[in-house]
Every structure is written in structure tokens, then in C-alpha cells.
Amino acid sequence: MAPFLEAAARAGKVSHSGLVRVYDAALEPGPRRSADVAFLIREWVEGEPLDEHLLRVGELAAPDAADVLRQVADALTAAHAGGLAHGRLHPGNVLVTAAGRVRLTDAAVAAAVHGAPIPEQLDALAVQADTRDAGAVLYALLTRHWPGGSTPQPAGRLLVSPRAHGRALAPHQVRAGVPR
């Protein structure tokens, strides 16, 4: 559980309006010698995960998708500037508020819980992985599909994109009207 606690502590040091704040995390001994219990206290955000949002409202027009992607990129840029990679960006931890604002949750913490090592310092590979996953978010915004195989992150409730020759189809091949 040490990586979880370290990830939570590092995430708590980064502040940005697009990142859900981590306030505290701890590891408590389990009752009667059972496994320890880890907990995380974070900011409450009134919103819905991106996959649920897209299933409810449908895919977005290109300008609206670009605005959401800009918000995701701004939050990731702030995390990276603070030395933190998200590490597990997917539709379930991109929250959309009623006002259309985007908040990223679980920065570094979800990756640690799923066994990803937390590097001492942010490296180019971690930034590339976050950038790849942000591109997958854009794909989802435009098509309501997750480009499985293009990213190891889970699709949530979204369908995995159709594939040809081992690759996800281009967004304009999945949904008519998406600009190239």
C-alpha cells in the first residue's frame, strides 16, 4: 500500500481547477488481523463520468469535443508541471459537471492501485502515456467509442471502437460528419 499512499500524497500537492483535490489518505490496520484498509479523502465533485455523460447526451460536435479536450489537456499540463503523471486516464475518471466543466480524478492514485510504479520524477514516457490517453478521450468524445488496443485503459461503459487491420477505425469512419 505504500505506492498508493505516496501517489495520494503527491497528488495532494498539485492544485488546479481541472484536478480533483486529494485531501488525505491513510492506511489503517484491518480488524482482527485481516488485511489493512486504505482510504482516500478527496474533493467532492457534482458531475458524471465521461462515459455516462456521452451515453446520455451522445457524441459531441468537433468544436465542443475540442473544448473538453482543452480542459483535459490543461489539467494534465498542471499535473505534469507539478511532477505528477495521471497514469490511468479513462472515461471513468474524467468527470463532467452540469456546467460542462471537466475535472480529472484519481491522478496517480488509480495507477498506483492498479500496480503501476510511481516514478520518483516525471519522465517523458509517463507524459507520452497521458497524451496518448488524452487522444483516446478525444476519440470517445467524437464517436462514443473507446479506441481499445490504442490504449491499455478501460472503456468504462463505452463500446470499443470498430477495428480494421488491427487498428481502431478513424473517427470519421465511425461517425459521419467528423472532420478529418
Side-chain angles (χ1 to χ4, degrees):
M1 285 297 166
F4 163 78
L5 293 175
E6 174 160 341
R10 289 176 62 186
K13 294 177 183 176
V14 179
S15 179
H16 183 270
S17 62
L19 295 170
V20 175
R21 290 293 311 257
V22 172
Y23 296 125
D24 196 9
L27 187 61
E28 299 286 331
R32 300 187 194 137
R33 297 184 185 166
S34 64
D36 291 342
V37 177
F39 69 88
L40 177 81
I41 299 171
R42 67 176 175 103
E43 174 185 10
W44 176 257
V45 175
E46 190 69 41
E48 62 187 342
L50 181 62
D51 54 348
E52 292 179 18
H53 180 74
L54 291 174
L55 291 173
R56 186 175 58 78
V57 303
E59 57 277 306
L60 303 181
D64 297 328
D67 179 58
V68 170
L69 181 65
R70 180 196 50 77
Q71 293 178 62
V72 169
D74 286 349
L76 287 175
T77 299
H80 295 164
L84 186 70
H86 190 286
R88 193 165 165 85
L89 185 64
H90 59 76
N93 55 32
V94 177
L95 303 178
V96 182
T97 69
R101 304 308 331 146
V102 172
R103 306 287 306 277
L104 303 184
T105 188
D106 300 334
V109 175
V113 167
H114 285 86
I118 307 299
E120 287 293 317
Q121 297 202 3
L122 183 67
D123 61 18
L125 290 176
V127 172
Q128 288 172 354
D130 280 352
T131 303
R132 174 205 62 216
D133 294 342
V137 167
L138 177 60
Y139 190 100
L141 292 166
L142 293 169
T143 67
R144 266 197 327 177
H145 287 78
W146 189 247
S150 301
T151 173
Q153 309 312 341
R157 294 183 53 212
L158 297 177
L159 295 175
V160 174
S161 65
R163 303 182 69 73
H165 309 292
R167 302 183 71 161
L169 295 180
H172 72 275
Q173 294 173 301
V174 176
R175 181 179 146 230
V178 175
R180 289 179 184 252

